Amino acid sequence: MIRVTKVAALVSALLSTSALAQIIEGTVLNKNGNAVAGAKVEVEGTSQSTVTNSDGKFSLRDVSNGKAELHISAPNFAHLHQDITLVEGEPLQLSFTLNRSPIEVVDVLATPIHLSVMESASPVSVLAGDTLRRQQTSTLGDSLEKMAGVHTSFHAKVASTPVIRGLSGPRVLIAQNGLDVSDVSRVGPDHSVVSEASTAQQIEVLRGPATLFYGSGAVGGVVNVVDGRIPTDSTTRGEWLLETNSVDDQQLGSFNVTTGNESFAFYADGYWRESNDYDVPVSPEVEHDDHDEEEHDEDQARVVENSNEASSGFTVGTSYLFDKGYVGLSVEQFNREYGIPGHTHGEEEHDDDHEEGLEEEHHEEESVFADLEQTRVQLQGEYNVEGSWVKQIQLRGGFTDYEHAEIEHGETGTLFENETHELKLDVLHAPMNDWNGAVSFHYKNSDASAQGEEAFTPPSVTETFAMAIMEEKRFDEVLIQLGARIEHVSLEADNVLLPSLDTHDHDEEHDDDHEDEGHDDEHEDTLVFPIDESFTALSISAGLVWDFAPGYNVGISVSRSERAPSASELLSFGPHIGTSTYEVGALFAFHEEEGEAHIELGEGSIELETANNIDLTLRKTEGNLGFVLNAFYNQIDNYYYQTNTGLFAESGHDHDEEEGGDDHDEHTDELPVYIFKTDDVILHGFEAQVAWQTTDEFKTTVFADYVRARLQDGGDLPRTPPLRVGTQFSYQTERLSAHLDITRYEEQDRIGEGETATDGYTLVDASVSYDLDVLNQDISVYLKGTNLTDTEARVHTSFLKDIAPRPGRSFALGVRGYF
């Protein structure tokens, strides 16, 4: 009998505590004592959640005995965290009061510890709901650029990646539901991000190192696009959108829908977009020079040639739902064809009125375009163990097959391919001395290749194994967040090329015979060799948030993050038309002897890039006035970047005779040679956001951001965003919504070698929408106007700033529905 009792006690201790469960009931009110309908009440670290009814009441069943943390959130209110203790046989009756917040607070998903703009040590922003729909564009970077601290690389509206605090490319990870999108957008600015904002639920931006959650590719930040492709419940809901835009004749349609029954949930989304070359403002100089009215119409808009697009995508997903979690699978097919403006094969840029890429609307010619296809399979599951040691297990897996072909004269000139397998396992432990957190295991394998005359990197395989731990604990008014990650990265390439490159400067005599001879030598004397490099990167982070007064907190985050260089940073050797440069990787070295320059294998070791970052944050979280003020300092040792050698090399591209014409001079097929090197750099700056809810209908928001990016020994980093200040005036009633945005970009004259300064400009945007009830659907009709003053605006972070300014004045008319 004693043995049976002991066994029963042991089994009881090891079993999920949900066997001893209670009911929580309560009410959520505002500070005036009125019910808050639609508030979400959830038990942190579990899948248990509910929503308040019209009377503000809620009920949670089968909540485990013991300590638990409730998280209550609602639009336009500050989030509330409340610790409770459940005792067997004592059901709880609770009441919560939410305080207003003029700054929207949305939680970050796919991270083991809690993150939001108002509550985490690390700086976070989330674009969701109506704000996301109002700001979404055809490219990811352009959709996010109104966030403080986030700019766009703006590649003529056909491609863009986010620039976070002056960093982009391989330092900013772009993820889809927590997994790498696995495209080649971080290799070149002309490569589009394989992600669609019109079907997304929210887009999350973690500013500063996010390596603990996503790996060393997030040493500068991360952008995570979240959608419902793997449904976690079977509630029937959906959204659809139709829109047209005047500046490029864009037509857009998209939808997403979720449905199911008690055991199975189903999801589908899709979108279709087509657009023509976009209009740009005619500069005063151009208008002044157009005297011949028969040949030039003063009011005729110019366009950025070859900036058109045709895209479509479709996703289906399903999940099996059970009492303790779910498991699901989704398949996405993404297709995009878009022009590649500035694909000049080494032509020199034209000045003033004759800027290359800007053409009258009637001009037509054979153009280069990209044909992008991606198939993505994603697995996701969650199991609520709720045991004595393990609380929850989260699993994410993905397979991506990516192909990007550059088509010229009807044939594939260059083909980029990437096949990626990725798996993440997060094990959330039960509270240990009030510490909550998880251990994370991460594996990723990317097999990338480029073939063709503009393939500037050899085929390579990058494999990553990582383990991380993240923990947090609240000590009364102080929240502590700690984390560490160790990551092993291996890079293998069997056919690394070291051509015998014929380089010269423009002061040298360089006749045609010599050019031909040098070009032949490049093929005859190419050295081919394998490499097998491995790196072990360690990242650590510590932060705290102190609620030092009611409605106020201060946060500090300190981190040290290491990053292994990417294949393109190490192994590049060839023409990169997207940047109009001849790229040479850091594996090689530039030498000059007796007046002759040549490139050979470097003798030094390949170093990890190391970022030491500190963030300070002051927030006012409640009341009619709210603000978030961030200051950051980031010192990066062994920073990989490109520097101009002052030499030129043949692009290696074959031009047709008629393409050359009389306009091609002796330097037409040459590209400046840039080589990757390492240096120590410092980036520091601030972000500020202040929101004032003047009345229940009117709100004013002001934001500003600035980053200073410089070499530690002197000099500036290229393509650094300028100082920016913006304001938004909003009017919101039950059915009417109106917004006016005014954003000032200051002149950027802190420039890197080979750059030119960029003039400042002011953009004025506005939108208005009206909600209707039609056939039991919520319908919203809207009108958006951008660049209403038709200002010529050039983006300093863009490689095409001189030939592709921002679009001119445009109007978008659309209708969207929810059910």
Side-chain angles (χ1 to χ4, degrees):
M1 184 66 179
I2 296 176
R3 179 177 298 176
V4 172
T5 303
K6 289 182 178 180
V7 171
L10 178 61
V11 171
S12 176
L14 294 177
L15 282 175
S16 166
T17 56
S18 60
L20 305 172
Q22 298 297 325
I23 297 174
I24 301 177
E25 295 180 343
T27 307
V28 179
L29 308 171
N30 62 22
K31 67 177 184 179
N32 296 322
N34 299 322
V36 177
K40 184 177 182 180
V41 183
E42 58 184 330
V43 182
E44 288 278 17
T46 74
S47 59
Q48 294 173 299
S49 66
T50 188
V51 175
T52 58
N53 61 20
S54 58
D55 296 323
K57 297 184 179 299
F58 70 91
S59 177
L60 283 168
R61 298 182 177 276
D62 298 327
V63 182
S64 302
N65 286 328
K67 291 184 177 181
E69 181 180 355
L70 294 184
H71 179 204
I72 302 96
S73 59
N76 303 317
F77 289 94
H79 290 198
L80 178 65
H81 295 264
Q82 183 69 49
D83 290 329
I84 61 172
T85 301
L86 290 169
V87 180
E88 184 180 359
E90 298 181 7
L92 282 183
Q93 293 286 336
L94 302 171
S95 179
F96 301 103
T97 300
L98 298 183
N99 294 314
R100 168 183 267 177
S101 174
I103 295 179
E104 187 176 14
V105 183
V106 182
D107 285 330
V108 171
L109 305 176
T111 56
I113 63 176
H114 182 253
L115 297 177
S116 77
V117 65
M118 286 298 195
E119 300 161 299
S120 58
S122 302
V124 171
S125 297
V126 179
L127 196 62
D130 291 340
T131 306
L132 170 59
R133 293 293 170 253
R134 189 168 61 249
Q135 297 182 12
Q136 70 186 29
T137 68
S138 59
T139 62
L140 183 62
D142 296 352
S143 297
L144 297 176
E145 69 165 329
K146 289 187 177 180
M147 279 187 173
V150 183
H151 289 250
T152 174
S153 65
F154 189 76
H155 201 79
K157 209 175 76 61
V158 297
S160 71
T161 56
V163 179
I164 300 179
R165 293 179 167 179
L167 298 176
S168 61
R171 297 176 183 86
V172 173
L173 180 72
I174 302 174
Q176 185 91 26
N177 297 312
L179 299 178
D180 195 338
V181 292
S182 301
D183 54 26
V184 295
S185 61
R186 282 151 285 177
V187 174
D190 56 328
H191 296 165
S192 179
V193 177
V194 183
S195 184
E196 177 57 32
S198 68
T199 57
Q201 292 179 346
Q202 65 186 53
I203 304 177
E204 306 162 351
V205 177
L206 279 65
R207 300 190 297 274
T211 54
L212 296 180
F213 310 105
Y214 296 94
S216 62
V219 69
V222 68
V223 175
N224 184 36
V225 181
V226 179
D227 58 33
R229 64 181 56 192
I230 297 181
T232 59
D233 65 75
S234 57
T235 304
T236 298
R237 60 188 180 275
E239 177 185 2
W240 56 268
L241 169 71
L242 295 172
E243 181 181 293
T244 182
N245 196 310
S246 64
V247 78
D248 55 3
D249 303 318
Q250 176 182 273
Q251 309 295 320
L252 169 65
S254 67
F255 79 94
N256 64 76
V257 60
T258 303
T259 189
N261 54 35
E262 290 184 359
S263 298
F264 292 94
F266 303 95
Y267 173 86
D269 73 33
Y271 84 97
W272 169 85
R273 179 190 294 108
E274 282 193 1
S275 64
N276 296 325
D277 296 346
Y278 71 87
D279 298 340
V280 297
V282 178
S283 63
E285 291 82 1
V286 173
E287 292 180 356
H288 179 74
D289 292 340
D290 288 343
H291 296 296
D292 192 343
E293 296 183 1
E294 295 181 0
E295 296 183 4
H296 298 280
D297 184 348
E298 187 176 36
D299 296 326
Q300 182 180 17
R302 292 191 303 168
V303 300
V304 174
E305 185 189 12
N306 207 22
S307 60
N308 51 76
E309 171 202 357
S311 301
S312 64
F314 189 78
T315 306
V316 292
T318 184
S319 296
Y320 173 65
L321 310 174
F322 50 93
D323 289 342
K324 292 184 177 295
Y326 69 92
V327 61
L329 185 74
S330 70
V331 180
E332 176 196 25
Q333 181 62 41
F334 187 101
N335 306 289
R336 192 166 192 234
E337 290 187 2
Y338 61 95
I340 304 179
H343 202 288
T344 62
H345 307 299
E347 293 179 350
E348 291 185 336
E349 296 178 359
H350 299 277
D351 298 325
D352 303 328
D353 308 354
H354 306 290
E355 291 169 320
E356 177 200 335
L358 293 178
E359 301 289 343
E360 302 294 342
E361 292 188 54
H362 64 267
H363 184 73
E364 296 180 0
E365 66 176 27
E366 186 79 21
S367 57
V368 180
F369 68 94
D371 185 0
L372 185 159
E373 295 183 6
Q374 178 173 282
T375 301
R376 182 180 179 89
V377 180
Q378 190 160 324
L379 170 71
Q380 186 171 310
E382 183 178 288
Y383 181 68
N384 294 298
V385 181
E386 297 181 6
S388 300
W389 294 95
V390 177
K391 181 168 61 175
Q392 187 182 81
I393 297 174
Q394 299 175 355
L395 175 69
R396 289 179 174 83
F399 166 76
T400 303
D401 186 7
Y402 172 92
E403 184 177 287
H404 171 112
E406 294 185 357
I407 312 299
E408 185 174 3
H409 304 300
E411 298 180 353
T412 299
T414 307
L415 178 65
F416 297 88
E417 295 178 299
N418 189 22
E419 187 175 288
T420 300
H421 300 78
E422 187 171 9
L423 186 67
K424 289 183 72 174
L425 179 67
D426 295 331
V427 180
L428 282 68
H429 64 73
M432 297 180 179
N433 195 24
D434 294 330
W435 283 93
N436 291 288
V439 178
S440 180
F441 303 92
H442 189 190
Y443 170 78
K444 182 165 62 175
N445 181 290
S446 295
D447 188 346
S449 66
Q451 301 175 7
E453 56 190 5
E454 294 170 11
F456 58 94
T457 57
S460 63
V461 176
T462 303
E463 190 172 47
T464 301
F465 294 90
M467 183 178 72
I469 183 169
M470 290 146 279
E471 297 291 332
E472 66 178 9
K473 181 177 180 178
R474 183 171 291 278
F475 299 86
D476 296 326
E477 288 80 23
V478 176
L479 173 68
I480 302 293
Q481 294 180 328
L482 304 174
R485 179 186 179 99
I486 187 168
E487 181 174 290
H488 180 77
V489 181
S490 62
L491 173 63
E492 295 183 12
D494 294 331
N495 298 294
V496 181
L497 305 180
L498 175 56
S500 177
L501 184 64
D502 178 30
T503 60
H504 55 275
D505 61 38
H506 282 175
D507 294 332
E508 297 177 359
E509 293 185 3
H510 198 67
D511 58 34
D512 293 338
D513 293 337
H514 184 56
E515 288 180 11
D516 293 339
E517 180 182 353
H519 188 66
D520 291 338
D521 287 343
E522 182 176 333
H523 292 281
E524 293 175 2
D525 300 333
T526 297
L527 174 65
V528 181
F529 60 95
I531 72 156
D532 185 355
E533 295 285 344
S534 61
F535 309 88
T536 299
L538 176 65
S539 298
I540 56 175
S541 176
L544 67 83
V545 181
W546 175 32
D547 298 320
F548 64 90
Y552 293 85
N553 68 44
V554 62
I556 181 171
S557 176
V558 180
S559 64
R560 177 181 174 86
S561 304
E562 294 182 331
R563 182 181 75 89
S566 66
S568 61
E569 291 172 315
L570 284 182
L571 311 179
S572 293
F573 208 120
H576 188 177
I577 305 304
T579 59
S580 296
T581 60
Y582 197 104
E583 289 193 2
V584 178
L587 188 66
F588 310 99
F590 172 75
H591 292 283
E592 189 171 4
E593 296 178 1
E594 298 180 358
E596 293 187 2
H598 62 280
I599 296 172
E600 59 185 30
L601 278 175
E603 297 179 355
S605 60
I606 299 172
E607 301 289 343
L608 288 168
E609 186 177 276
T610 304
N612 299 284
N613 187 82
I614 182 169
D615 265 281
L616 297 173
T617 303
L618 175 65
R619 308 180 182 101
K620 185 177 186 298
T621 62
E622 301 173 2
N624 293 327
L625 180 70
F627 57 76
V628 180
L629 309 176
N630 297 318
F632 64 91
Y633 183 91
N634 193 5
Q635 178 178 321
I636 305 180
D637 298 333
N638 300 316
Y639 180 89
Y640 285 82
Y641 72 106
Q642 292 174 302
T643 182
N644 193 343
T645 64
L647 301 176
F648 293 82
E650 298 297 319
S651 70
H653 188 274
D654 296 326
H655 289 275
D656 291 344
E657 291 183 5
E658 59 179 307
E659 185 184 354
D662 296 332
D663 294 333
H664 285 63
D665 62 23
E666 60 179 331
H667 302 307
T668 248
D669 291 329
E670 295 175 356
L671 294 174
V673 178
Y674 279 73
I675 190 167
F676 278 94
K677 61 174 292 189
T678 60
D679 231 323
D680 297 340
V681 305
I682 294 174
L683 301 97
H684 57 89
F686 69 86
E687 299 119 9
Q689 181 184 6
V690 181
W692 179 28
Q693 191 76 46
T694 314
T695 67
D696 289 340
E697 294 81 20
F698 286 98
K699 183 170 76 173
T700 300
T701 302
V702 178
F703 81 94
D705 55 35
Y706 173 74
V707 59
R708 175 80 169 91
R710 58 186 174 87
L711 299 173
Q712 187 167 302
D713 295 331
D716 298 293
L717 290 180
R719 286 174 294 282
T720 300
L723 170 66
R724 179 175 59 168
V725 179
T727 186
Q728 181 186 85
F729 302 97
S730 302
Y731 176 77
Q732 182 84 46
T733 65
E734 185 176 350
R735 293 190 177 273
L736 180 66
S737 175
H739 303 271
L740 174 65
D741 294 88
I742 303 172
T743 308
R744 173 65 185 176
Y745 293 78
E746 294 296 336
E747 177 189 13
Q748 180 57 286
D749 55 6
R750 296 184 182 273
I751 55 178
E753 185 179 355
E755 274 195 299
T756 58
T758 304
D759 293 337
Y761 53 89
T762 302
L763 296 179
V764 180
D765 304 329
S767 66
V768 60
S769 66
Y770 189 79
D771 296 338
L772 304 168
D773 292 327
V774 180
L775 300 176
N776 295 323
Q777 286 194 48
D778 295 326
I779 305 294
S780 180
V781 181
Y782 62 90
L783 176 67
K784 295 191 297 185
T786 57
N787 195 5
L788 294 178
T789 57
D790 205 31
T791 298
E792 182 180 286
R794 301 185 183 274
V795 181
H796 185 75
T797 50
S798 172
F799 280 90
L800 296 184
K801 73 165 187 172
D802 293 325
I803 67 174
R806 291 181 183 269
R809 182 187 297 114
S810 67
F811 295 95
L813 178 64
V815 57
R816 60 177 177 263
Y818 303 89
F819 59 90

